[in-house]
Amino acid sequence: MRAAREFSSRVSDSLKMEIFPYSVFYMFFEQYLDIWRTALINLAIAIGAVFVVCLVITCSLWSSAIILLVLAMIIVDLMGVMAILNIQLNAVSVVNLVMSVGIGVEFCVHITHAFSVSCGDRDQRVRDALGTMGASVFSGITLTKLVGVIVLCFSRTEVFVVYYFQMYLALVLLGFLHGLVFLPVVLSMFGPPSRFKLVEKQEDRPSVSLRP
């Protein structure tokens, strides 16, 4: 298709008229010409939107950057799993990758928020965050999605098995490992300061009253 377009472009220039190639199969292969560009643009927009929303909600550039880092690692690892499982990058898998951005953020935003509102040193805050939100992330997000994904394994349609069961199973496992294993380590080493300390410092400031 690319060679036919280049040939028709040269003929169009020589004959001074528009000539274009056509085949009934071109509509299926059109997506592969710019699939990488389309995938990167859509993933960048999705991750950027998540970063802006996290920045508005948490009011912390530090926390939003950590969430962005973990989310980007989940997507990159998922693309690596696609290469291992020989899952082709096409319109269906690109849609799944973009959806993975919204699903993957659930595994890390709750832990990061619980870490930012707890008090103590970083190790203590990580333990508090895992104690308060770890079970909810494991049972409420990981197990529920895992049960819903495993059902697709029994499908007789290869599209559902390859592009939905395998990809979403990999996403759930990667999100679980990054959210409950990798993220706590990152927070214990490079976590943002506690918001509890900031509120406490503001409350400890002496109030000045002006009397006439």
Side-chain angles (χ1 to χ4, degrees):
M1 183 173 61
R2 186 179 291 109
R5 288 186 175 183
E6 293 176 357
F7 176 76
S8 62
S9 178
R10 292 196 300 266
V11 174
S12 298
D13 295 337
S14 62
L15 297 179
K16 304 300 181 182
M17 60 184 300
E18 183 179 1
I19 299 176
F20 60 92
Y22 172 77
S23 173
V24 293
F25 303 103
Y26 283 177
M27 61 180 297
F28 300 103
F29 298 107
E30 180 79 23
Q31 59 177 321
Y32 296 107
L33 293 179
D34 299 320
I35 192 66
W36 274 104
R37 178 174 174 271
T38 302
L40 294 177
I41 290 176
N42 285 276
L43 287 174
I45 294 174
I47 294 176
V50 169
F51 176 77
V52 172
V53 172
C54 291
L55 184 61
V56 172
I57 294 177
T58 62
C59 298
S60 174
L61 182 62
W62 201 334
S63 300
S64 302
I66 291 177
I67 294 174
L68 180 66
L69 172 64
V70 177
L71 187 59
M73 291 186 64
I74 292 175
I75 300 302
V76 171
D77 290 344
L78 181 59
M79 295 180 71
V81 172
M82 289 174 57
I84 295 174
L85 298 178
N86 293 323
I87 299 177
Q88 192 174 20
L89 187 67
N90 51 32
V92 179
S93 57
V94 169
V95 171
N96 290 337
L97 286 174
V98 175
M99 292 179 60
S100 300
V101 176
I103 298 174
V105 72
E106 296 185 59
F107 292 95
C108 50
V109 67
H110 300 290
I111 300 295
T112 306
H113 175 72
F115 176 84
S116 62
V117 298
S118 58
C119 59
D121 58 359
R122 286 174 176 169
D123 293 336
Q124 180 62 37
R125 291 163 60 197
V126 167
R127 287 193 291 267
D128 292 342
L130 290 176
T132 55
M133 295 302 301
S136 299
V137 172
F138 178 73
S139 61
I141 299 177
T142 305
L143 292 183
T144 54
K145 285 181 171 58
L146 193 63
V147 172
V149 167
I150 290 178
V151 177
L152 297 173
C153 177
F154 304 100
S155 175
R156 298 181 179 179
T157 306
E158 187 176 0
V159 175
F160 289 102
V161 175
V162 175
Y163 291 100
Y164 292 98
F165 168 69
Q166 294 182 1
M167 287 193 66
Y168 283 106
L169 179 62
L171 172 62
V172 172
L173 296 179
L174 290 173
F176 166 73
L177 293 176
H178 283 78
L180 295 180
V181 178
F182 176 74
L183 179 60
V185 176
V186 174
L187 292 176
S188 65
M189 298 175 61
F190 310 104
S194 176
R195 302 167 97 186
F196 180 79
K197 291 182 179 179
L198 298 177
V199 175
E200 185 176 322
K201 288 181 180 179
Q202 292 178 358
E203 292 179 353
D204 291 342
R205 290 179 180 177
S207 59
V208 179
S209 59
L210 299 177
R211 296 182 179 178

